[in-house]
Amino acid sequence: MNIIKKEALVRALQIKPQEHTNKIYHLIEDAGNIANRPDWLWHCLLVSAATLGNANGYIHLILNSENYELIKYDTLISLEDKEIFNNISFGFNNAKLRYANNKINYMVYNFNLIKQRGGLVVFQDLINTAPTVHQKIAYLKLFKGIGDKYARNIMMDKMDPLFINNIAIDSRLQKILTKLEVDTNNQYEQNEALLAEIAKEAFIPAWELDRLLYNFNAYYLNSIS
């Protein structure tokens, strides 16, 4: 890592604009709303599918009430297998998601996995009560389409207390790492630890650093320059 560039990023995080602080407050409020959803796990799996490959999928699938109504858990739970596939297929294709066919198959599999594990309430409780980050991640990685990044992001979106020092490394955070001259071929946990150390030096939680670098990526890339 380039130490001078790291110090520049730390300074930028310490004197961030008020707009950035306001965004963090808004995301904290959103996290409370997600955590209180009775279907938070299925909702977060849908958000993950919608945003994989293009964040605009959130607008077209999650915020589009017509599409979302078809694929929400309360709708699907009363349907037969073929109808479940048809609803997810129509909603994903209508939203024009990237890799739609793969995502449709993933979400059908994930829905069936939840049913096999006792239903949504049971599976959510299993994750919520898991005592460690690693155990929660292991449960989430049982779902197709969920790897290191999205397993963390799901729990960070609802601000699970155990994930306050974790980082969900996506393409935007990879750009930051590249600008810092970090070897992005490192193991995920190595780069996560490097970013978490930067957060510590900036006197903010790693969760906040993650959300700032994601939502204001260009600003912090420029600060490194």
Side-chain angles (χ1 to χ4, degrees), residues 148-168:
D148 286 319
K149 182 259 180 177
Y150 274 114
R152 287 162 172 79
N153 196 60
I154 286 172
M155 302 312 292
M156 292 168 71
D157 275 352
K158 67 190 287 288
M159 283 198 79
D160 184 296
L162 292 183
F163 284 77
I164 197 67
N165 292 315
N166 285 96
I167 304 283

PDB file of all heavy atoms in Angstrom, residues 148-168:
ATOM      1  N   ASP A 148     -18.550 -13.716  -0.534  1.00  0.00           N
ATOM      2  CA  ASP A 148     -17.978 -12.934   0.568  1.00  0.00           C
ATOM      3  C   ASP A 148     -18.554 -11.525   0.635  1.00  0.00           C
ATOM      4  O   ASP A 148     -18.875 -11.027   1.716  1.00  0.00           O
ATOM      5  CB  ASP A 148     -16.461 -12.850   0.419  1.00  0.00           C
ATOM      6  CG  ASP A 148     -15.769 -14.160   0.766  1.00  0.00           C
ATOM      7  OD1 ASP A 148     -16.181 -14.801   1.745  1.00  0.00           O
ATOM      8  OD2 ASP A 148     -14.825 -14.543   0.063  1.00  0.00           O
ATOM      9  N   LYS A 149     -18.682 -10.882  -0.528  1.00  0.00           N
ATOM     10  CA  LYS A 149     -19.143  -9.499  -0.541  1.00  0.00           C
ATOM     11  C   LYS A 149     -20.598  -9.390  -0.108  1.00  0.00           C
ATOM     12  O   LYS A 149     -20.949  -8.618   0.791  1.00  0.00           O
ATOM     13  CB  LYS A 149     -18.933  -8.896  -1.932  1.00  0.00           C
ATOM     14  CG  LYS A 149     -19.351  -7.420  -2.026  1.00  0.00           C
ATOM     15  CD  LYS A 149     -20.700  -7.240  -2.662  1.00  0.00           C
ATOM     16  CE  LYS A 149     -21.070  -5.767  -2.736  1.00  0.00           C
ATOM     17  NZ  LYS A 149     -22.347  -5.529  -3.401  1.00  0.00           N
ATOM     18  N   TYR A 150     -21.479 -10.150  -0.745  1.00  0.00           N
ATOM     19  CA  TYR A 150     -22.896  -9.995  -0.452  1.00  0.00           C
ATOM     20  C   TYR A 150     -23.280 -10.557   0.914  1.00  0.00           C
ATOM     21  O   TYR A 150     -24.218 -10.061   1.552  1.00  0.00           O
ATOM     22  CB  TYR A 150     -23.745 -10.632  -1.551  1.00  0.00           C
ATOM     23  CG  TYR A 150     -24.008  -9.693  -2.705  1.00  0.00           C
ATOM     24  CD1 TYR A 150     -23.483  -9.937  -3.962  1.00  0.00           C
ATOM     25  CD2 TYR A 150     -24.761  -8.539  -2.532  1.00  0.00           C
ATOM     26  CE1 TYR A 150     -23.705  -9.061  -5.019  1.00  0.00           C
ATOM     27  CE2 TYR A 150     -24.993  -7.663  -3.572  1.00  0.00           C
ATOM     28  CZ  TYR A 150     -24.462  -7.927  -4.818  1.00  0.00           C
ATOM     29  OH  TYR A 150     -24.692  -7.045  -5.852  1.00  0.00           O
ATOM     30  N   ALA A 151     -22.566 -11.572   1.394  1.00  0.00           N
ATOM     31  CA  ALA A 151     -22.841 -12.076   2.741  1.00  0.00           C
ATOM     32  C   ALA A 151     -22.619 -10.971   3.772  1.00  0.00           C
ATOM     33  O   ALA A 151     -23.410 -10.796   4.707  1.00  0.00           O
ATOM     34  CB  ALA A 151     -21.963 -13.278   3.050  1.00  0.00           C
ATOM     35  N   ARG A 152     -21.550 -10.208   3.580  1.00  0.00           N
ATOM     36  CA  ARG A 152     -21.291  -9.092   4.481  1.00  0.00           C
ATOM     37  C   ARG A 152     -22.294  -7.961   4.248  1.00  0.00           C
ATOM     38  O   ARG A 152     -22.823  -7.373   5.189  1.00  0.00           O
ATOM     39  CB  ARG A 152     -19.860  -8.581   4.272  1.00  0.00           C
ATOM     40  CG  ARG A 152     -18.796  -9.514   4.835  1.00  0.00           C
ATOM     41  CD  ARG A 152     -17.434  -9.217   4.239  1.00  0.00           C
ATOM     42  NE  ARG A 152     -16.371  -9.965   4.896  1.00  0.00           N
ATOM     43  CZ  ARG A 152     -16.086 -11.239   4.663  1.00  0.00           C
ATOM     44  NH1 ARG A 152     -16.816 -11.927   3.797  1.00  0.00           N
ATOM     45  NH2 ARG A 152     -15.082 -11.845   5.299  1.00  0.00           N
ATOM     46  N   ASN A 153     -22.549  -7.660   2.980  1.00  0.00           N
ATOM     47  CA  ASN A 153     -23.399  -6.523   2.669  1.00  0.00           C
ATOM     48  C   ASN A 153     -24.812  -6.688   3.225  1.00  0.00           C
ATOM     49  O   ASN A 153     -25.424  -5.725   3.686  1.00  0.00           O
ATOM     50  CB  ASN A 153     -23.458  -6.316   1.153  1.00  0.00           C
ATOM     51  CG  ASN A 153     -23.995  -4.956   0.784  1.00  0.00           C
ATOM     52  OD1 ASN A 153     -23.429  -3.939   1.164  1.00  0.00           O
ATOM     53  ND2 ASN A 153     -25.104  -4.923   0.067  1.00  0.00           N
ATOM     54  N   ILE A 154     -25.335  -7.908   3.164  1.00  0.00           N
ATOM     55  CA  ILE A 154     -26.677  -8.158   3.703  1.00  0.00           C
ATOM     56  C   ILE A 154     -26.725  -7.799   5.184  1.00  0.00           C
ATOM     57  O   ILE A 154     -27.642  -7.103   5.642  1.00  0.00           O
ATOM     58  CB  ILE A 154     -27.080  -9.624   3.471  1.00  0.00           C
ATOM     59  CG1 ILE A 154     -27.422  -9.847   1.992  1.00  0.00           C
ATOM     60  CG2 ILE A 154     -28.256 -10.021   4.361  1.00  0.00           C
ATOM     61  CD1 ILE A 154     -27.638 -11.296   1.615  1.00  0.00           C
ATOM     62  N   MET A 155     -25.737  -8.253   5.942  1.00  0.00           N
ATOM     63  CA  MET A 155     -25.747  -7.984   7.377  1.00  0.00           C
ATOM     64  C   MET A 155     -25.409  -6.531   7.686  1.00  0.00           C
ATOM     65  O   MET A 155     -25.884  -5.963   8.676  1.00  0.00           O
ATOM     66  CB  MET A 155     -24.768  -8.926   8.095  1.00  0.00           C
ATOM     67  CG  MET A 155     -25.054 -10.410   7.882  1.00  0.00           C
ATOM     68  SD  MET A 155     -26.795 -10.869   8.146  1.00  0.00           S
ATOM     69  CE  MET A 155     -26.957 -10.620   9.899  1.00  0.00           C
ATOM     70  N   MET A 156     -24.609  -5.911   6.814  1.00  0.00           N
ATOM     71  CA  MET A 156     -24.285  -4.499   7.000  1.00  0.00           C
ATOM     72  C   MET A 156     -25.469  -3.612   6.639  1.00  0.00           C
ATOM     73  O   MET A 156     -25.662  -2.556   7.249  1.00  0.00           O
ATOM     74  CB  MET A 156     -23.056  -4.131   6.174  1.00  0.00           C
ATOM     75  CG  MET A 156     -21.773  -4.788   6.689  1.00  0.00           C
ATOM     76  SD  MET A 156     -20.382  -4.652   5.544  1.00  0.00           S
ATOM     77  CE  MET A 156     -20.032  -2.893   5.694  1.00  0.00           C
ATOM     78  N   ASP A 157     -26.267  -4.031   5.666  1.00  0.00           N
ATOM     79  CA  ASP A 157     -27.460  -3.251   5.307  1.00  0.00           C
ATOM     80  C   ASP A 157     -28.434  -3.145   6.467  1.00  0.00           C
ATOM     81  O   ASP A 157     -29.154  -2.151   6.592  1.00  0.00           O
ATOM     82  CB  ASP A 157     -28.168  -3.882   4.096  1.00  0.00           C
ATOM     83  CG  ASP A 157     -27.581  -3.435   2.767  1.00  0.00           C
ATOM     84  OD1 ASP A 157     -26.726  -2.528   2.766  1.00  0.00           O
ATOM     85  OD2 ASP A 157     -27.988  -3.985   1.730  1.00  0.00           O
ATOM     86  N   LYS A 158     -28.480  -4.168   7.311  1.00  0.00           N
ATOM     87  CA  LYS A 158     -29.359  -4.124   8.486  1.00  0.00           C
ATOM     88  C   LYS A 158     -28.602  -3.773   9.763  1.00  0.00           C
ATOM     89  O   LYS A 158     -29.137  -3.836  10.864  1.00  0.00           O
ATOM     90  CB  LYS A 158     -30.124  -5.444   8.641  1.00  0.00           C
ATOM     91  CG  LYS A 158     -29.268  -6.640   8.979  1.00  0.00           C
ATOM     92  CD  LYS A 158     -30.042  -7.958   8.883  1.00  0.00           C
ATOM     93  CE  LYS A 158     -31.020  -8.166  10.012  1.00  0.00           C
ATOM     94  NZ  LYS A 158     -30.369  -8.460  11.315  1.00  0.00           N
ATOM     95  N   MET A 159     -27.340  -3.416   9.591  1.00  0.00           N
ATOM     96  CA  MET A 159     -26.469  -3.001  10.691  1.00  0.00           C
ATOM     97  C   MET A 159     -26.441  -4.008  11.837  1.00  0.00           C
ATOM     98  O   MET A 159     -26.594  -3.657  13.014  1.00  0.00           O
ATOM     99  CB  MET A 159     -26.861  -1.608  11.211  1.00  0.00           C
ATOM    100  CG  MET A 159     -26.405  -0.486  10.313  1.00  0.00           C
ATOM    101  SD  MET A 159     -26.394   1.144  11.121  1.00  0.00           S
ATOM    102  CE  MET A 159     -24.861   1.056  12.057  1.00  0.00           C
ATOM    103  N   ASP A 160     -26.221  -5.248  11.485  1.00  0.00           N
ATOM    104  CA  ASP A 160     -25.978  -6.250  12.515  1.00  0.00           C
ATOM    105  C   ASP A 160     -24.756  -5.797  13.320  1.00  0.00           C
ATOM    106  O   ASP A 160     -23.712  -5.485  12.738  1.00  0.00           O
ATOM    107  CB  ASP A 160     -25.714  -7.609  11.862  1.00  0.00           C
ATOM    108  CG  ASP A 160     -25.540  -8.726  12.869  1.00  0.00           C
ATOM    109  OD1 ASP A 160     -24.562  -8.677  13.646  1.00  0.00           O
ATOM    110  OD2 ASP A 160     -26.373  -9.640  12.885  1.00  0.00           O
ATOM    111  N   PRO A 161     -24.852  -5.754  14.639  1.00  0.00           N
ATOM    112  CA  PRO A 161     -23.744  -5.223  15.454  1.00  0.00           C
ATOM    113  C   PRO A 161     -22.417  -5.945  15.245  1.00  0.00           C
ATOM    114  O   PRO A 161     -21.352  -5.332  15.396  1.00  0.00           O
ATOM    115  CB  PRO A 161     -24.241  -5.413  16.898  1.00  0.00           C
ATOM    116  CG  PRO A 161     -25.721  -5.509  16.793  1.00  0.00           C
ATOM    117  CD  PRO A 161     -26.020  -6.117  15.466  1.00  0.00           C
ATOM    118  N   LEU A 162     -22.464  -7.231  14.893  1.00  0.00           N
ATOM    119  CA  LEU A 162     -21.230  -7.974  14.708  1.00  0.00           C
ATOM    120  C   LEU A 162     -20.484  -7.554  13.444  1.00  0.00           C
ATOM    121  O   LEU A 162     -19.299  -7.877  13.289  1.00  0.00           O
ATOM    122  CB  LEU A 162     -21.518  -9.481  14.649  1.00  0.00           C
ATOM    123  CG  LEU A 162     -22.006 -10.148  15.940  1.00  0.00           C
ATOM    124  CD1 LEU A 162     -22.175 -11.649  15.721  1.00  0.00           C
ATOM    125  CD2 LEU A 162     -21.065  -9.881  17.097  1.00  0.00           C
ATOM    126  N   PHE A 163     -21.165  -6.833  12.546  1.00  0.00           N
ATOM    127  CA  PHE A 163     -20.559  -6.482  11.260  1.00  0.00           C
ATOM    128  C   PHE A 163     -20.139  -5.020  11.188  1.00  0.00           C
ATOM    129  O   PHE A 163     -19.875  -4.509  10.098  1.00  0.00           O
ATOM    130  CB  PHE A 163     -21.526  -6.815  10.122  1.00  0.00           C
ATOM    131  CG  PHE A 163     -21.597  -8.280   9.813  1.00  0.00           C
ATOM    132  CD1 PHE A 163     -22.308  -9.135  10.635  1.00  0.00           C
ATOM    133  CD2 PHE A 163     -20.937  -8.811   8.717  1.00  0.00           C
ATOM    134  CE1 PHE A 163     -22.370 -10.501  10.370  1.00  0.00           C
ATOM    135  CE2 PHE A 163     -20.988 -10.169   8.433  1.00  0.00           C
ATOM    136  CZ  PHE A 163     -21.707 -11.015   9.269  1.00  0.00           C
ATOM    137  N   ILE A 164     -20.021  -4.366  12.321  1.00  0.00           N
ATOM    138  CA  ILE A 164     -19.664  -2.956  12.316  1.00  0.00           C
ATOM    139  C   ILE A 164     -18.224  -2.749  11.846  1.00  0.00           C
ATOM    140  O   ILE A 164     -17.858  -1.661  11.377  1.00  0.00           O
ATOM    141  CB  ILE A 164     -19.869  -2.327  13.716  1.00  0.00           C
ATOM    142  CG1 ILE A 164     -19.907  -0.802  13.630  1.00  0.00           C
ATOM    143  CG2 ILE A 164     -18.816  -2.811  14.694  1.00  0.00           C
ATOM    144  CD1 ILE A 164     -21.101  -0.256  12.912  1.00  0.00           C
ATOM    145  N   ASN A 165     -17.393  -3.791  11.933  1.00  0.00           N
ATOM    146  CA  ASN A 165     -15.998  -3.676  11.514  1.00  0.00           C
ATOM    147  C   ASN A 165     -15.688  -4.466  10.248  1.00  0.00           C
ATOM    148  O   ASN A 165     -14.523  -4.771   9.977  1.00  0.00           O
ATOM    149  CB  ASN A 165     -15.073  -4.131  12.654  1.00  0.00           C
ATOM    150  CG  ASN A 165     -15.111  -3.166  13.830  1.00  0.00           C
ATOM    151  OD1 ASN A 165     -15.051  -1.955  13.631  1.00  0.00           O
ATOM    152  ND2 ASN A 165     -15.236  -3.696  15.029  1.00  0.00           N
ATOM    153  N   ASN A 166     -16.731  -4.776   9.481  1.00  0.00           N
ATOM    154  CA  ASN A 166     -16.541  -5.506   8.228  1.00  0.00           C
ATOM    155  C   ASN A 166     -16.672  -4.581   7.024  1.00  0.00           C
ATOM    156  O   ASN A 166     -17.176  -3.468   7.132  1.00  0.00           O
ATOM    157  CB  ASN A 166     -17.534  -6.662   8.115  1.00  0.00           C
ATOM    158  CG  ASN A 166     -17.170  -7.824   9.014  1.00  0.00           C
ATOM    159  OD1 ASN A 166     -17.675  -7.960  10.129  1.00  0.00           O
ATOM    160  ND2 ASN A 166     -16.267  -8.660   8.547  1.00  0.00           N
ATOM    161  N   ILE A 167     -16.224  -5.074   5.879  1.00  0.00           N
ATOM    162  CA  ILE A 167     -16.240  -4.320   4.631  1.00  0.00           C
ATOM    163  C   ILE A 167     -16.811  -5.222   3.532  1.00  0.00           C
ATOM    164  O   ILE A 167     -16.395  -6.377   3.401  1.00  0.00           O
ATOM    165  CB  ILE A 167     -14.822  -3.873   4.206  1.00  0.00           C
ATOM    166  CG1 ILE A 167     -14.142  -3.061   5.315  1.00  0.00           C
ATOM    167  CG2 ILE A 167     -14.867  -3.111   2.894  1.00  0.00           C
ATOM    168  CD1 ILE A 167     -14.603  -1.646   5.443  1.00  0.00           C
ATOM    169  N   ALA A 168     -17.744  -4.688   2.750  1.00  0.00           N
ATOM    170  CA  ALA A 168     -18.288  -5.418   1.595  1.00  0.00           C
ATOM    171  C   ALA A 168     -17.580  -4.897   0.343  1.00  0.00           C
ATOM    172  O   ALA A 168     -17.957  -3.884  -0.225  1.00  0.00           O
ATOM    173  CB  ALA A 168     -19.801  -5.212   1.503  1.00  0.00           C
TER     174      ALA A 168
END
